[in-house]
Amino acid sequence: MRRFLALLALLGGAAPALVVPLRGWTPIAGDASRWQGGGGECLIREMRHTQPFPAMPTQQRATAVANRLRASLGKAGMGEVTTQPVDRGAAWAVLAGYVYEEAGARYRVSQLYLSEGGRLRTVSASSAVGTVSPCAASMRDFIRYQAQ
């Protein structure tokens, strides 16, 4: 997997509506692909990319992708990188966790990499490093267990 996969997931793009079943969470500016909770302390964003991303029908395939993604994120300068395959029923996805730094601020990110119609789709959750708001735990649980 190429290094730009990780960077592409951080860039903006058009995305259809995402349902975030978390109490008190609202779409940002009416855009149902971007949600905020905890008074803006926590953000969830869904993005659909044009980049090919084949389905992962087995845990072994998802593990291989997770390992390549971990290396790519590390090379892209992300800190505290972890990746793991996650079961999503009919297929597998990859869950990544890392710390991203921008303009002197550090953000903890949980990001789910999915294949949808052979294209990359990501669902990302982020909050400032050190955020103790209950929204941080609930959004990470949503990404890890519910987002599809």
Side-chain angles (χ1 to χ4, degrees), residues 8 11-16 31 33-34 45-49:
L8 180 63
L11 300 175
D31 180 357
S33 66
R34 298 180 309 139
R45 179 181 195 163
E46 175 192 42
M47 294 176 62
R48 293 182 189 215
H49 308 272

Side-chain angles (χ1 to χ4, degrees), residues 1 9 11 18 27 37 39 48 59 78-79 94 100 103 107 117 141 144:
M1 184 172 353
L11 300 175
L18 173 69
R48 293 182 189 215
Q59 182 177 10
M78 305 305 152
V94 172
Y100 170 72
Y107 301 93
D141 283 347
R144 182 179 180 103

Side-chain angles (χ1 to χ4, degrees), residues 21-94:
L22 301 174
R23 178 176 228 164
W25 282 71
T26 58
I28 297 172
D31 180 357
S33 66
R34 298 180 309 139
W35 292 72
Q36 68 180 358
E41 292 180 323
C42 299
L43 301 170
I44 294 176
R45 179 181 195 163
E46 175 192 42
M47 294 176 62
R48 293 182 189 215
H49 308 272
T50 58
Q51 177 178 345
F53 193 74
M56 297 172 282
T58 66
Q59 182 177 10
Q60 292 77 16
R61 173 75 175 122
T63 298
V65 171
N67 291 337
R68 288 194 308 271
L69 179 60
R70 182 173 46 249
S72 293
L73 288 167
K75 286 178 184 175
M78 305 305 152
E80 302 176 34
V81 178
T82 62
T83 59
Q84 68 182 72
V86 289
D87 188 357
R88 285 300 186 256
W92 287 79
V94 172

